[in-house]
Amino acid sequence: MDTSGLTQIDPNCWLAEPDGGMRVPAIFYADEALLRGMDEKVREQACNVARLPGIVGASYTMPDAHWGYGFPIGGVAAFDPDEGGVVSAGGVGFDISCGVRTLTTGLTRRDVEPIKTRLVERLYRDIPAGLGATGRISLNDREMDAMLKGGARWAIAQGWGEESDLERIEETGRMAGARPDCVSDRARRRQRNEMGTLGSGNHYAEVQEISEIFDEATAHAFGLDLGGVVVSIHSGSRGLGHQIGTEFLTEMVAAAPAMGIDLPERELACAPLRSEMGERYLGAMRAAINCALANRQILSELVRGVFAALFPGCRLKLLYDVSHNTCKEETHRVDGIPRTLFVHRKGATRAFGPGHPDIPAWLRDIGQPVLIGGSMGTGSHILVGTIASGDRSWSSACHGAGRNMSRRRASRLWQGKQIVRSLAKEGIIVRSPSERGVAEEAPGAYKDVDAVVDAAEAAGLARKVARCRPLVCVKG
């Protein structure tokens, strides 16, 4: 990205003044190297977001940002319904509530290392992965409605997990306000047999070692020890979320002129929050969030089954589950006054700090875990939310390393077999149904995750707690 025309506020914060119809500034959180490495399109998209009706504060961009659909991936924006604010299907994205959850195992690398190959083969056998993969669950219409309303709570009621998991999931496992009646028959058909499946692309189930701890007290509170083993699962709302995004984008683009909305680009398709269409989209999107929460809950139980079989007596404990690609109604202080805003996080993580009333009691003095996914060959990070991020980014932080090249370019540069062999030499065993998918997700296709989290910490968006190194990975 060309930084000319941007005002550098501090080493990790840059500002584009309102121009050409922008209602608010665009703010980029990144150090200079990360910012210069971003596609020019990121700046254009962030500035376009700043033109949408009812936007409050600024259009924010996280340090892992890259070119997305409408919003940049790593884009955050809040809208006030009382000021004509909108909800944007492009601002939420297609993989609604794609997210990460991490489970602690109580095991160490020494326990896992001797049977790593058996472990990854068993995970690959028991977790359906890849484009169009189906699971052992098939939902009829009544069960689909219950799942779309109940989220992870529904999954646990079906035997997929335990009640204690719920306080460790955003929204305590169930997004209120879901409207299954706003989910089309086609979206339902796509999801009927996909519960408990990983998906494709950058989705994964990864066994990781805690390789570094930055904050002993917080790590201890999270149940993390140096050398300990955790499992991270990255997946979303599968075909259902994608279908909802596709349908509402088309509908919002067509209806925009009649609703008096001048779209900077069609991918920013949106509708007023206080409109029949806006309310229908929110209802369907919340149902998709519940679908993703239920899906990750089922995947967790499949992983738990594998560990229980290979390590008798082992029961994995959920650390936390965070969602990306959402629009959530939250209360934030604007100029010292609390206001109800609808916060879009497109490829960004909620990061509530200590004392926030919407995080569970056990985290109230600590802050919310912020789980940063890496690629299968580089590390992941566990951070914690800060109070400062409330003013700086509507309590949001980055969600991963962020791509530094397209999937097409990555698949031209690498071959899947080559990546698997290369990682095996580093002690990381990968299984995937798609060699092309592995090539597209090659570690070299992503930014330096350590630089991304360093920038997030320096900007005050979240604070580093621990770094994780991959041991085995099932890639979608």
Side-chain angles (χ1 to χ4, degrees):
M1 180 189 299
D2 180 2
T3 60
S4 61
L6 297 181
T7 301
Q8 185 170 8
I9 306 300
D10 62 42
N12 290 279
C13 180
W14 307 70
L15 180 143
E17 297 284 359
D19 185 34
M22 292 167 61
R23 300 166 192 262
V24 295
I27 291 179
F28 304 86
Y29 291 114
D31 63 29
E32 186 166 357
L34 286 169
L35 193 67
R36 289 187 181 279
M38 291 181 191
D39 193 288
E40 192 63 33
K41 192 77 175 174
V42 172
R43 176 172 172 168
E44 179 184 329
Q45 290 187 322
C47 291
N48 280 339
V49 171
R51 294 172 58 185
L52 292 177
I55 189 169
V56 179
S59 165
Y60 297 105
T61 302
M62 302 293 106
D64 56 337
H66 55 98
W67 182 10
Y69 190 94
F71 276 47
I73 308 295
V76 175
F79 298 85
D80 188 336
D82 292 333
E83 296 187 352
V86 296
V87 57
S88 169
V92 172
F94 291 98
D95 193 1
I96 298 170
S97 193
C98 174
V100 179
R101 62 168 47 193
T102 296
L103 301 103
T104 58
T105 67
L107 303 171
T108 67
R109 179 175 180 175
R110 182 177 296 180
D111 299 319
V112 169
E113 196 70 40
I115 62 165
K116 273 198 320 189
T117 302
R118 284 176 60 200
L119 176 59
V120 74
E121 296 293 358
R122 187 71 178 261
L123 288 169
Y124 186 55
R125 187 195 75 178
D126 288 3
I127 299 175
L131 187 65
T134 56
R136 69 178 73 166
I137 301 170
S138 182
L139 302 181
N140 60 32
D141 287 343
R142 179 181 54 79
E143 292 164 335
M144 180 71 73
D145 283 350
M147 182 274 288
L148 294 175
K149 284 183 179 176
R153 293 184 180 212
W154 168 86
I156 290 169
Q158 307 305 308
W160 299 97
E162 49 206 46
E163 286 288 318
S164 59
D165 290 339
L166 293 175
E167 67 170 356
R168 293 166 179 266
I169 304 172
E170 283 186 13
E171 318 298 339
T172 57
R174 174 186 174 273
M175 188 75 208
R179 289 182 55 187
D181 62 301
C182 297
V183 178
S184 71
D185 290 341
R186 186 171 184 184
R188 289 162 176 265
R189 281 197 303 274
R190 289 187 65 175
Q191 193 61 33
R192 193 170 305 281
N193 299 311
E194 288 195 347
M195 297 307 297
T197 65
L198 200 57
S200 59
N202 60 351
H203 295 155
Y204 60 76
E206 190 167 276
V207 181
Q208 305 162 334
E209 174 194 13
I210 302 295
S211 59
E212 196 169 0
I213 287 183
F214 305 99
D215 178 342
E216 288 280 356
T218 305
H220 179 73
F222 286 175
L224 305 173
D225 298 307
L226 192 64
V229 169
V230 299
V231 181
S232 291
I233 299 169
H234 180 218
S235 191
S237 53
R238 308 287 289 111
L240 183 133
H242 194 280
Q243 189 64 34
I244 289 171
T246 301
E247 292 169 358
F248 275 94
L249 269 161
T250 304
E251 190 177 352
M252 286 176 173
V253 167
M259 293 188 293
I261 297 175
D262 180 19
L263 292 175
E265 61 171 304
R266 57 179 283 115
E267 294 177 358
L268 287 174
C270 57
L273 286 154
R274 290 188 174 154
S275 69
E276 186 273 341
M277 185 183 297
E279 290 176 359
R280 271 195 295 115
Y281 175 71
L282 286 170
M285 181 208 65
R286 289 162 178 161
I289 290 175
N290 283 334
C291 177
L293 296 178
N295 192 43
R296 289 198 289 275
Q297 184 65 34
I298 296 167
L299 288 168
S300 298
E301 207 60 13
L302 294 175
V303 171
R304 281 169 166 162
V306 171
F307 273 79
L310 297 179
F311 303 97
C314 175
R315 179 67 179 172
L316 277 57
K317 183 176 182 180
L318 182 59
L319 166 59
Y320 208 63
D321 180 301
V322 300
S323 290
H324 322 134
N325 299 357
T326 60
C327 172
K328 293 190 174 180
E329 183 178 358
E330 298 172 2
T331 301
H332 290 274
R333 299 187 77 83
V334 182
D335 298 329
I337 300 171
R339 286 168 61 178
T340 299
L341 303 176
F342 286 73
V343 182
H344 292 60
R345 297 187 178 92
K346 169 81 168 288
T349 304
R350 195 187 78 178
F352 286 157
H356 198 285
D358 290 342
I359 55 178
W362 76 279
L363 290 172
R364 203 66 55 77
D365 295 333
I366 306 167
Q368 176 197 314
V370 176
L371 309 175
I372 307 296
S375 68
M376 54 199 153
T378 55
S380 299
H381 279 263
I382 297 171
L383 286 72
V384 64
T386 65
I387 293 174
S389 70
D391 292 331
R392 296 184 71 86
S393 59
W394 307 125
S395 298
S396 308
C398 49
H399 81 313
R403 298 193 72 91
N404 64 16
M405 68 177 69
S406 69
R407 289 188 166 91
R408 178 175 294 182
R409 184 181 172 201
S411 65
R412 286 201 299 263
L413 289 176
W414 295 286
Q415 293 182 336
K417 285 181 181 176
Q418 166 198 0
I419 297 297
V420 172
R421 281 197 299 267
S422 173
L423 291 174
K425 290 178 182 175
E426 298 177 27
I428 304 165
I429 307 175
V430 176
R431 293 291 182 272
S432 173
S434 171
E435 288 185 14
R436 181 183 175 87
V438 171
E440 290 176 344
E441 300 301 320
Y446 283 84
K447 305 177 199 291
D448 179 345
V449 70
D450 296 330
V452 167
V453 298
D454 284 347
E457 181 174 65
L461 309 183
R463 201 178 71 252
K464 293 194 298 184
V465 177
R467 190 183 196 283
C468 308
R469 178 186 180 278
L471 299 175
V472 306
C473 179
V474 175
K475 197 76 171 177

